[in-house]
Amino acid sequence: MAMEKTLPSYQQDRIKINDGEKIVSARPHALSDKVFNFCPGCTHGIVHRLVAEAIDELGIEGETIGISPVGCSVMNYDFFNCDMIEAAHGRAPAVATGVKRVHPDKIVFAYQGDGDLASIGTAETVHAATRGEHITVIFINNAIYGMTGGQMAPTSLPNQVTQTSPYGRDVSKVGFPIRMSELLATLDGPAYIERVACDTTAHIRQAKKAIKKAFENQVNGVGYSFVEVVSTCPTNWGMTPQAAFEWLRENMLPYYPLGVYKDVVADGFDDALGAAAARAADCPIAQQKREA
Amino acid sequence: MADEKSTPVEDRVLMKGNEVLAEAAMRAGCRYFFGYPITPQTELAAYMAKKLPKIGGTFLQAESEIAAINMVYGAGAAGARAMTSSSSPGVSLKGEGVSYMAGADVPGVIVNVERGGPGLGGIQPSQSDYFQATRAMGHGDFFMPVLAPSTVQEMADLIYLAFDLADEYRTPAMILADGMIGQMMEPVTLPPARDPESLPKKPWATTGTHMEREHNVVNSLYLTPQKLEDTNRERFERYEKIKATQQRQELFMADDADILIVAFGASSRIARTAIRRARDKGIKVGLLRPITLWPFPEDAINQAIDGGCKALMSVELNMGQMVEDVRLAAHGRADVSFYGRTGGVLPTPEEILDQIEALAARIGCAPSAKAGE
Amino acid sequence: MAMPQDTSMKNPEMLCVLSGFGGQGVLFAGKVMANAGLLDGRHVSWMPSYGPEMRGGTANCNVSLSDDAIGSPFITRPTALIALNQPSIEKFGPTLENGGVAVVDTTLAMNVEEVELPEGVKLFAFKATQMAEDEGLKGLANIICLGKLWAETQFADLDVLEAALKKCVPPKHANLLEPNLKALHLGIEL
């Protein structure tokens, strides 16, 4: 990919370009020089890069404000070059809401893992979605708590062995995994929800498209966009990276099918509001026109 | 403080304390309110819901108190003046977010219109959250300015001040009010309205780099112990500045007092009535009313003791919380005692007068029969 | 700090409890009284009951008008009482100061004589709700009683009280101003 743009002034020392040379491939502007602290084979690094590429390609780095989660990506405020805020565990959607309400013209995204988004922060997740906050949420689902050392997550699979389900997740006692994309797709607020994976080149390309679209939707005022990335955790799954990808394909993808769960634009609407109104066509009060 | 009687009548309006908090917050430049319904602070949120959209602001009813305070954190990090309000049980839930605000040096204002506790407690006036407010209301090593209004006028003056202190010292700040001051109407002279654009800029805020500067990070995570210690030490230097410059109190009939009642908010009003009656009986008693609960006005306590005050009685709507600060400030140099009612029960002036008379007798400051004539 | 002396004989300190069922307008009547104090440049407080009791049950408010700063806005010994129902006179009547004034609407407080009032309390009991209905002033028993209380206590100048009433009627209900003034004078002339 050719990068025609020059680097921002504060980054010009980063890459030396000699006369007659052209950048063909480079670290995205939106990623800092900091070395990732992720384990080998973890897909966080890939997803960070995809987010940064999307920000670069849309030319929105200077206008973007990101919210970091608590979890393995807790320090991604150091990895992204845009302004960043570190949130309390699970509260990123609420923090993002506060930021977006102050700066409706800025691009605001939250990057969260499964414990953060689907357990301690479920209320914040569901309500930011149903409010249709104009934010972009990137959700890493690797079926385990990584940073704390491999405990059962809200998305851990039935019978999956973790530190806190040492005999395997017993659904008769601790219940079932949550499929967040499906759950959020029942709400009127979201404009776009897609589940992707980063285990193959083809899937990574699809993930990139989805992430870029999730940001583009915000630029275009379409509404709340959510991309779930089915991911691996070789360290806490106790597998080699390659075996982890195999396990993902064998066990996670059947439980968490990839695909688009909601896309109001593809459904022919301008935004989430239009789709919600159509769904409530028989409810008179929901059809009342509001003053701007 | 604007003097109720010296202000031209036409500038005074009769308003409820809770509504005044909202109106004065907007005048202080606050355009973002995030809250969750709870008695007895509801009028504040309702007023904001009605007025904020008309001045280009945002009122958002959050899904929980936790979400509300985190929205304040986000809006504050983004550079805006933002606030939330609640009452005791709801304020407990905000503790997490307030800790993050303190840790990340994000300004914002939290209003607690207290009710009785613990647990669901009651809805009548109480001051049982003194410890929570003044002793780091979330985890970690931090304080924040806590301002305690005792009149509707002070609801206006102190929330205005709270926003300024929060911005100046990059800290959350709290208004600790109670159901009495929140629900009552009194005449008030409202402070001038400030344009948020005219407020000092916040170069640290996350407003987008516009590709013109290094990215700003608002964060409370420091995994290197030395770095965390350095950060905390820097914050405590700011706390020392606050302690040195921001202690506020009102003294009433205190000049020649043998006994000082120490009381804030609702209880200070009742104490004032009792003090007048005690003076009629010849007892030299006055009032020291802390306006800042943190920093606690320990300098004024010390000056009073230096000036001859022999006994301090803390009168509170709880089982004895502020009395600990009175004791710390007095440092054994004066008699310190406590009288309180709790659960939403208010002491009568007569009750407090009885306590004053008993105390005066105990420390040998009761007027002789002759002096009383 | 020196305390200002109460030099105003015309406007004595007024510690008034107004009480009735929710919807009878006791909070409104209290606001009119408080606004009269405001316009007079006096110290004023208006303290409502709040919480579950205001939903359909009894409602009351405490109004203090004084030339001194007001201590507690909760009144334990009122100098005046407007009671629009039986529970109100039973609850607050006995708390009146000796020599205080009680205005009671006997349409809904039918057993006033059973309440033991403190020494010297001047009781004015009449069917205010009935009177309001007869005069085409439905719902204005509160203001009739306020008028009667004014006639007995002169807690403000009449023109100030009328101005306060005008202030309290919201512009969108401007048509209610005239009936309110009529009710006020009906009470005064009783």
Side-chain angles (χ1 to χ4, degrees):
Chain A
M1 171 188 54
M3 302 206 19
E4 300 298 341
K5 282 182 292 187
T6 53
L7 289 163
S9 58
Y10 63 87
Q11 284 190 351
Q12 274 170 4
D13 291 344
R14 207 162 91 173
I15 303 173
K16 295 278 178 245
I17 308 165
N18 297 320
D19 285 345
E21 287 180 345
K22 190 171 141 191
I23 300 171
V24 245
S25 178
R27 200 173 170 82
H29 288 181
L31 274 188
S32 75
D33 285 341
K34 279 263 165 66
V35 177
F36 289 149
N37 55 359
F38 303 122
C39 301
C42 167
T43 46
H44 263 310
I46 299 171
V47 180
H48 277 57
R49 185 182 171 106
L50 298 183
V51 168
E53 284 181 359
I55 290 173
D56 278 7
E57 288 168 26
L58 295 168
I60 54 173
E61 183 190 318
E63 311 304 316
T64 298
I65 300 159
I67 319 295
S68 307
V70 170
C72 288
S73 50
V74 63
M75 276 154 61
N76 70 11
Y77 51 78
D78 278 341
F79 303 145
F80 291 112
N81 263 328
C82 56
D83 279 357
M84 295 294 295
I85 301 171
E86 170 57 42
H89 200 24
R91 317 299 175 221
V95 176
T97 298
V99 176
K100 187 70 180 185
R101 296 301 176 116
V102 174
H103 298 300
D105 55 331
K106 296 287 186 287
I107 305 304
V108 180
F109 76 93
Y111 185 109
Q112 303 176 262
D114 43 50
D116 193 270
L117 180 140
S119 186
I120 197 167
T122 315
E124 286 80 1
T125 297
V126 168
H127 283 272
T130 200
R131 282 195 302 270
E133 292 294 338
H134 284 228
I135 60 173
T136 300
V137 177
I138 308 298
F139 169 39
I140 306 298
N141 174 7
N142 61 6
I144 204 153
Y145 282 80
M147 196 177 70
T148 46
Q151 294 80 24
M152 187 180 77
T155 50
S156 290
L157 294 176
N159 304 313
Q160 187 180 337
V161 173
T162 73
Q163 198 186 61
T164 50
S165 56
Y167 310 111
R169 180 176 189 149
D170 181 351
V171 294
S172 72
K173 295 204 171 67
V174 301
F176 294 90
I178 299 182
R179 293 181 178 91
M180 285 308 289
S181 289
E182 288 86 336
L183 186 151
L184 295 178
T186 65
L187 302 173
D188 284 344
Y192 169 59
I193 294 171
E194 181 164 354
R195 183 185 285 127
V196 297
C198 284
D199 61 315
T200 64
T201 320
H203 280 162
I204 292 172
R205 282 185 204 285
Q206 183 55 34
K208 167 70 183 297
K209 268 172 68 182
I211 288 169
K212 187 172 176 183
K213 185 167 172 177
F215 277 91
E216 224 165 3
N217 278 348
Q218 196 177 157
V219 172
N220 296 332
V222 176
Y224 177 95
S225 297
F226 179 93
V227 178
E228 174 176 348
V229 187
V230 182
S231 301
T232 56
C233 182
T235 301
N236 287 300
W237 289 0
M239 298 174 195
T240 63
Q242 207 48 46
F245 284 129
E246 287 301 330
W247 195 86
L248 176 149
R249 281 188 285 271
E250 200 177 319
N251 292 293
M252 291 203 48
L253 296 188
Y255 209 90
Y256 298 112
L258 304 184
V260 176
Y261 287 85
K262 192 171 183 192
D263 186 347
V264 296
V265 176
D267 291 344
F269 299 101
D270 289 341
D271 54 24
L273 288 178
R279 191 176 173 192
D282 296 334
C283 174
I285 193 167
Q287 302 303 318
Q288 282 174 14
K289 293 278 175 273
R290 295 186 59 85
E291 292 167 37
Chain B
M1 292 312 106
D3 178 4
E4 216 173 300
K5 295 211 68 176
S6 65
T7 309
V9 167
E10 55 273 24
D11 291 342
R12 298 196 306 160
V13 287
L14 200 57
M15 284 177 78
K16 262 194 171 191
N18 283 336
E19 293 181 343
V20 166
L21 281 174
E23 178 63 37
M26 288 186 280
R27 286 166 181 251
C30 174
R31 292 292 180 275
Y32 301 93
F33 178 94
F34 307 96
Y36 186 86
I38 184 168
T39 304
Q41 64 77 52
T42 314
E43 295 83 1
L44 198 172
Y47 195 92
M48 286 292 200
K50 211 167 168 184
K51 303 272 176 157
L52 265 177
K54 310 234 179 235
I55 56 169
T58 294
F59 166 88
L60 189 59
Q61 182 168 319
E63 60 271 29
S64 69
E65 304 285 7
I66 297 172
I69 190 67
N70 280 284
M71 290 171 188
V72 171
Y73 173 64
R81 285 193 162 184
M83 69 175 286
T84 184
S85 72
S86 187
S87 182
S88 309
V91 173
S92 289
L93 287 173
K94 295 188 196 290
E96 176 199 76
V98 173
S99 171
Y100 279 73
M101 289 170 74
D105 301 314
V106 170
V109 172
I110 300 101
V111 170
N112 181 359
V113 183
E114 288 170 282
R115 50 189 264 179
L120 209 43
I123 57 167
Q124 297 304 318
S126 166
Q127 297 172 336
S128 52
D129 301 341
Y130 181 90
F131 282 153
Q132 184 195 50
T134 59
R135 298 291 193 277
M137 61 172 286
H139 62 281
D141 223 358
F142 74 94
F143 293 97
M144 65 179 161
V146 179
L147 308 174
S150 76
T151 62
V152 172
Q153 181 63 52
E154 273 191 338
M155 289 288 228
D157 297 338
L158 294 183
I159 197 165
Y160 213 71
L161 175 65
F163 276 105
D164 285 350
L165 292 178
D167 277 0
E168 184 178 350
Y169 295 100
R170 284 189 62 183
T171 173
M174 174 176 271
I175 296 290
L176 192 68
D178 54 65
M180 180 202 278
I181 319 290
Q183 291 293 324
M184 72 189 288
M185 284 204 297
E186 280 185 321
V188 56
T189 306
L190 292 163
R194 265 190 277 184
D195 179 359
E197 295 301 315
S198 71
L199 296 166
K201 296 283 168 257
K202 297 173 180 171
W204 51 266
T206 54
T207 54
T209 65
H210 301 96
M211 307 305 267
E212 286 162 359
R213 57 162 167 79
E214 291 278 352
H215 73 161
N216 283 340
V217 175
V218 172
N219 174 38
S220 60
L221 178 67
Y222 298 91
L223 291 176
T224 314
Q226 192 54 54
K227 222 172 165 187
L228 180 54
E229 187 185 43
D230 293 348
T231 309
N232 282 340
R233 281 193 186 283
E234 184 282 320
R235 190 170 303 115
F236 271 71
E237 280 168 25
R238 263 180 284 152
Y239 292 161
E240 285 307 315
K241 268 187 213 150
I242 297 173
K243 279 186 182 174
T245 61
Q246 302 298 335
Q247 292 180 30
R248 284 174 162 80
Q249 68 286 321
E250 183 202 354
L251 292 165
F252 169 68
M253 293 184 159
D255 286 350
D256 62 341
D258 295 323
I259 297 170
L260 276 182
I261 303 296
V262 186
F264 66 97
S267 56
S268 74
R269 298 181 64 117
I270 306 167
R272 198 184 290 261
T273 306
I275 287 164
R276 282 198 200 114
R277 296 193 192 161
R279 282 277 173 179
D280 289 344
K281 294 188 167 205
I283 302 172
K284 289 183 176 173
V285 56
L287 175 70
L288 190 157
R289 178 172 70 85
I291 295 171
T292 51
L293 302 182
W294 195 91
F296 189 72
E298 50 191 28
D299 295 350
I301 297 235
N302 275 300
Q303 282 159 21
I305 296 170
D306 291 344
C309 169
K310 298 181 185 65
L312 299 151
M313 182 166 72
S314 188
V315 175
E316 307 174 44
L317 303 182
N318 58 46
M319 295 301 284
Q321 300 189 16
M322 182 176 67
V323 65
E324 294 194 1
D325 282 336
V326 177
R327 211 168 266 138
L328 283 171
H331 210 269
R333 298 201 298 134
D335 183 280
V336 175
S337 57
F338 166 76
Y339 183 70
R341 296 299 301 266
T342 188
V345 180
L346 297 173
T348 61
E350 292 77 17
E351 261 176 271
I352 299 175
L353 178 60
D354 288 347
Q355 296 293 321
I356 293 171
E357 287 183 299
L359 175 58
R362 181 162 66 76
I363 63 166
C365 293
S368 63
K370 206 174 166 188
E373 281 167 10
Chain C
M1 191 206 286
M3 297 312 302
Q5 293 299 307
D6 186 355
T7 53
S8 165
M9 294 309 291
K10 186 179 66 182
N11 296 336
E13 183 173 66
M14 162 71 83
L15 303 174
C16 183
V17 172
L18 302 95
S19 182
F21 290 124
Q24 282 188 294
V26 292
L27 301 188
F28 179 81
K31 274 183 201 178
V32 174
M33 183 182 279
N35 270 285
L38 174 79
L39 295 174
D40 261 341
R42 309 182 79 193
H43 290 277
V44 173
S45 71
W46 175 94
M47 182 78 218
S49 54
Y50 63 89
E53 63 181 315
M54 66 194 265
R55 323 243 186 270
T58 59
N60 70 73
C61 66
N62 291 189
V63 178
S64 305
L65 311 181
S66 175
D67 293 317
D68 272 350
I70 292 161
S72 172
F74 289 105
I75 298 169
T76 46
R77 297 294 308 272
T79 60
L81 169 67
I82 291 179
L84 298 188
N85 62 14
Q86 184 68 21
S88 296
I89 184 65
E90 283 175 8
K91 186 171 178 189
F92 298 109
T95 68
L96 276 161
E97 255 331 327
N98 293 351
V101 177
V103 176
V104 184
D105 178 1
T106 48
T107 319
L108 288 165
M110 287 167 286
N111 301 308
V112 180
E113 64 285 353
E114 288 174 12
V115 180
E116 207 170 307
L117 297 172
E119 205 182 307
V121 165
K122 292 182 282 269
L123 173 68
F124 302 94
F126 54 93
K127 291 190 181 303
T129 298
Q130 187 63 54
M131 193 181 292
E133 298 214 355
D134 293 348
E135 297 288 329
L137 301 169
K138 199 167 185 305
L140 292 176
N142 57 338
I143 301 300
I144 295 176
C145 290
L146 185 68
K148 182 61 188 167
L149 181 66
W150 181 84
E152 299 305 324
T153 61
Q154 271 96 53
F155 56 82
D157 286 344
L158 184 56
D159 56 339
V160 169
L161 180 59
E162 286 179 347
L165 186 55
K166 279 176 197 152
K167 214 174 152 197
C168 290
V169 176
K172 64 176 176 180
H173 296 304
N175 57 319
L176 295 178
L177 178 59
E178 205 200 306
N180 268 282
L181 286 167
K182 200 175 155 196
L184 186 70
H185 283 276
L186 193 62
I188 290 170
E189 284 145 26
L190 268 175

